[in-house]
Amino acid sequence: MNMASADEPRWLSDEEQRTWRAYIHATTLLDDHLDRQLQRDAGMPHIYYGLLVGLAEAPRRRLRMTELAMKAKITRSRLSHAIARLEKNGWVRREDCPSDKRGQFAVLTDEGYEVLMRSAPGHVAAVRQAFFDRLTVDQQKALGEAMLLIAEGLQPEGTGADLPWLR
């Protein structure tokens, strides 16, 4: 075996390069499309909408801040900034955790829930139009399975993982 070849990167094939660039192109455009729709219709960026959804789906519409960061796949610093903005809008409030003086809960307020309920139909329509309506059922299933595999590979079990919500 030639040692020089072992040090060579595994370059992407033409087909892999095409797939990778199509993925980057599509996800960038989709993120922008959904962000603009939510800004226009609800006055919030896509990340805020996701936080409101996460809280709405939680028991008693509340989550520990660390759990919400994990659910949203964002750093704790980014979450703290977003929650501060949502608090300013009156859509979320923070509550101290009685069992852990360092911990806090984010709680979806009634006003935040109403904003979410008003903005959800337009957002779902945008997601459906931009994403699901363009794919067959088989393509949706294959894409979902592929994305789950990729996500699982990027979230190693155990301590020491460099994941956004741990930073």
mmCIF file of all heavy atoms in Angstrom, residues 26-43:
data_model
loop_
_atom_site.group_PDB
_atom_site.id
_atom_site.type_symbol
_atom_site.label_atom_id
_atom_site.label_comp_id
_atom_site.label_asym_id
_atom_site.label_seq_id
_atom_site.Cartn_x
_atom_site.Cartn_y
_atom_site.Cartn_z
ATOM 1 N N ALA A 26 -30.561 23.954 -1.637
ATOM 2 C CA ALA A 26 -31.969 23.802 -1.257
ATOM 3 C C ALA A 26 -32.208 24.207 0.193
ATOM 4 O O ALA A 26 -33.185 24.906 0.491
ATOM 5 C CB ALA A 26 -32.431 22.364 -1.491
ATOM 6 N N THR A 27 -31.349 23.779 1.117
ATOM 7 C CA THR A 27 -31.585 24.102 2.523
ATOM 8 C C THR A 27 -31.397 25.595 2.798
ATOM 9 O O THR A 27 -32.143 26.167 3.594
ATOM 10 C CB THR A 27 -30.690 23.278 3.475
ATOM 11 O OG1 THR A 27 -29.319 23.466 3.129
ATOM 12 C CG2 THR A 27 -31.054 21.804 3.415
ATOM 13 N N THR A 28 -30.469 26.227 2.110
ATOM 14 C CA THR A 28 -30.282 27.669 2.270
ATOM 15 C C THR A 28 -31.516 28.415 1.774
ATOM 16 O O THR A 28 -32.029 29.311 2.456
ATOM 17 C CB THR A 28 -29.021 28.136 1.524
ATOM 18 O OG1 THR A 28 -27.887 27.436 2.051
ATOM 19 C CG2 THR A 28 -28.806 29.634 1.663
ATOM 20 N N LEU A 29 -32.002 28.028 0.595
ATOM 21 C CA LEU A 29 -33.195 28.681 0.052
ATOM 22 C C LEU A 29 -34.435 28.388 0.899
ATOM 23 O O LEU A 29 -35.269 29.270 1.120
ATOM 24 C CB LEU A 29 -33.433 28.246 -1.395
ATOM 25 C CG LEU A 29 -32.425 28.774 -2.414
ATOM 26 C CD1 LEU A 29 -32.656 28.119 -3.777
ATOM 27 C CD2 LEU A 29 -32.511 30.289 -2.525
ATOM 28 N N LEU A 30 -34.569 27.165 1.380
ATOM 29 C CA LEU A 30 -35.722 26.803 2.207
ATOM 30 C C LEU A 30 -35.700 27.569 3.524
ATOM 31 O O LEU A 30 -36.735 28.116 3.949
ATOM 32 C CB LEU A 30 -35.742 25.297 2.462
ATOM 33 C CG LEU A 30 -36.923 24.772 3.276
ATOM 34 C CD1 LEU A 30 -38.247 25.046 2.566
ATOM 35 C CD2 LEU A 30 -36.744 23.282 3.539
ATOM 36 N N ASP A 31 -34.549 27.634 4.179
ATOM 37 C CA ASP A 31 -34.436 28.403 5.428
ATOM 38 C C ASP A 31 -34.831 29.854 5.198
ATOM 39 O O ASP A 31 -35.581 30.440 5.989
ATOM 40 C CB ASP A 31 -33.015 28.341 5.992
ATOM 41 C CG ASP A 31 -32.683 27.015 6.632
ATOM 42 O OD1 ASP A 31 -33.597 26.216 6.919
ATOM 43 O OD2 ASP A 31 -31.478 26.774 6.854
ATOM 44 N N ASP A 32 -34.353 30.455 4.120
ATOM 45 C CA ASP A 32 -34.672 31.844 3.809
ATOM 46 C C ASP A 32 -36.162 32.007 3.518
ATOM 47 O O ASP A 32 -36.807 32.945 4.000
ATOM 48 C CB ASP A 32 -33.838 32.326 2.621
ATOM 49 C CG ASP A 32 -34.140 33.770 2.281
ATOM 50 O OD1 ASP A 32 -33.810 34.654 3.105
ATOM 51 O OD2 ASP A 32 -34.732 34.019 1.206
ATOM 52 N N HIS A 33 -36.724 31.095 2.729
ATOM 53 C CA HIS A 33 -38.147 31.148 2.364
ATOM 54 C C HIS A 33 -39.023 31.103 3.620
ATOM 55 O O HIS A 33 -39.947 31.911 3.775
ATOM 56 C CB HIS A 33 -38.466 29.979 1.424
ATOM 57 C CG HIS A 33 -39.903 29.846 1.066
ATOM 58 N ND1 HIS A 33 -40.529 30.717 0.192
ATOM 59 C CD2 HIS A 33 -40.854 28.957 1.461
ATOM 60 C CE1 HIS A 33 -41.792 30.361 0.058
ATOM 61 N NE2 HIS A 33 -42.013 29.295 0.824
ATOM 62 N N LEU A 34 -38.745 30.158 4.518
ATOM 63 C CA LEU A 34 -39.547 30.014 5.728
ATOM 64 C C LEU A 34 -39.341 31.177 6.689
ATOM 65 O O LEU A 34 -40.288 31.643 7.336
ATOM 66 C CB LEU A 34 -39.250 28.679 6.402
ATOM 67 C CG LEU A 34 -39.621 27.441 5.577
ATOM 68 C CD1 LEU A 34 -39.199 26.174 6.300
ATOM 69 C CD2 LEU A 34 -41.095 27.426 5.218
ATOM 70 N N ASP A 35 -38.113 31.665 6.770
ATOM 71 C CA ASP A 35 -37.837 32.809 7.629
ATOM 72 C C ASP A 35 -38.584 34.054 7.136
ATOM 73 O O ASP A 35 -39.204 34.765 7.922
ATOM 74 C CB ASP A 35 -36.330 33.067 7.693
ATOM 75 C CG ASP A 35 -35.927 33.817 8.937
ATOM 76 O OD1 ASP A 35 -36.276 33.358 10.047
ATOM 77 O OD2 ASP A 35 -35.277 34.870 8.806
ATOM 78 N N ARG A 36 -38.549 34.298 5.825
ATOM 79 C CA ARG A 36 -39.250 35.465 5.274
ATOM 80 C C ARG A 36 -40.760 35.346 5.471
ATOM 81 O O ARG A 36 -41.428 36.323 5.801
ATOM 82 C CB ARG A 36 -38.914 35.665 3.797
ATOM 83 C CG ARG A 36 -37.528 36.263 3.589
ATOM 84 C CD ARG A 36 -37.197 36.568 2.139
ATOM 85 N NE ARG A 36 -37.171 35.341 1.342
ATOM 86 C CZ ARG A 36 -38.019 35.071 0.351
ATOM 87 N NH1 ARG A 36 -38.951 35.918 0.006
ATOM 88 N NH2 ARG A 36 -37.916 33.929 -0.314
ATOM 89 N N GLN A 37 -41.311 34.148 5.289
ATOM 90 C CA GLN A 37 -42.752 33.943 5.476
ATOM 91 C C GLN A 37 -43.145 34.258 6.912
ATOM 92 O O GLN A 37 -44.127 34.959 7.158
ATOM 93 C CB GLN A 37 -43.141 32.504 5.102
ATOM 94 C CG GLN A 37 -44.604 32.161 5.339
ATOM 95 C CD GLN A 37 -44.897 31.639 6.733
ATOM 96 O OE1 GLN A 37 -44.152 30.842 7.283
ATOM 97 N NE2 GLN A 37 -45.989 32.094 7.316
ATOM 98 N N LEU A 38 -42.385 33.755 7.880
ATOM 99 C CA LEU A 38 -42.717 34.002 9.280
ATOM 100 C C LEU A 38 -42.495 35.461 9.673
ATOM 101 O O LEU A 38 -43.279 36.023 10.446
ATOM 102 C CB LEU A 38 -41.928 33.059 10.188
ATOM 103 C CG LEU A 38 -42.497 31.646 10.228
ATOM 104 C CD1 LEU A 38 -41.496 30.671 10.837
ATOM 105 C CD2 LEU A 38 -43.808 31.613 11.004
ATOM 106 N N GLN A 39 -41.461 36.081 9.154
ATOM 107 C CA GLN A 39 -41.241 37.504 9.431
ATOM 108 C C GLN A 39 -42.412 38.329 8.902
ATOM 109 O O GLN A 39 -42.937 39.205 9.589
ATOM 110 C CB GLN A 39 -39.929 37.996 8.806
ATOM 111 C CG GLN A 39 -38.691 37.542 9.507
ATOM 112 C CD GLN A 39 -38.430 38.263 10.825
ATOM 113 O OE1 GLN A 39 -39.200 39.090 11.287
ATOM 114 N NE2 GLN A 39 -37.315 37.917 11.448
ATOM 115 N N ARG A 40 -42.818 38.025 7.684
ATOM 116 C CA ARG A 40 -43.909 38.765 7.035
ATOM 117 C C ARG A 40 -45.240 38.532 7.755
ATOM 118 O O ARG A 40 -45.965 39.466 8.060
ATOM 119 C CB ARG A 40 -44.016 38.340 5.564
ATOM 120 C CG ARG A 40 -45.115 39.022 4.765
ATOM 121 C CD ARG A 40 -45.209 38.494 3.338
ATOM 122 N NE ARG A 40 -45.597 37.080 3.343
ATOM 123 C CZ ARG A 40 -44.826 36.076 2.891
ATOM 124 N NH1 ARG A 40 -43.633 36.327 2.395
ATOM 125 N NH2 ARG A 40 -45.253 34.829 2.941
ATOM 126 N N ASP A 41 -45.562 37.285 8.046
ATOM 127 C CA ASP A 41 -46.888 36.946 8.562
ATOM 128 C C ASP A 41 -47.001 36.973 10.079
ATOM 129 O O ASP A 41 -48.104 37.142 10.606
ATOM 130 C CB ASP A 41 -47.300 35.553 8.067
ATOM 131 C CG ASP A 41 -47.449 35.486 6.562
ATOM 132 O OD1 ASP A 41 -47.432 36.544 5.894
ATOM 133 O OD2 ASP A 41 -47.576 34.361 6.037
ATOM 134 N N ALA A 42 -45.899 36.786 10.790
ATOM 135 C CA ALA A 42 -45.975 36.685 12.247
ATOM 136 C C ALA A 42 -44.991 37.595 12.975
ATOM 137 O O ALA A 42 -45.002 37.641 14.207
ATOM 138 C CB ALA A 42 -45.748 35.231 12.673
ATOM 139 N N GLY A 43 -44.118 38.274 12.239
ATOM 140 C CA GLY A 43 -43.170 39.183 12.881
ATOM 141 C C GLY A 43 -42.109 38.490 13.696
ATOM 142 O O GLY A 43 -41.614 39.045 14.676
#
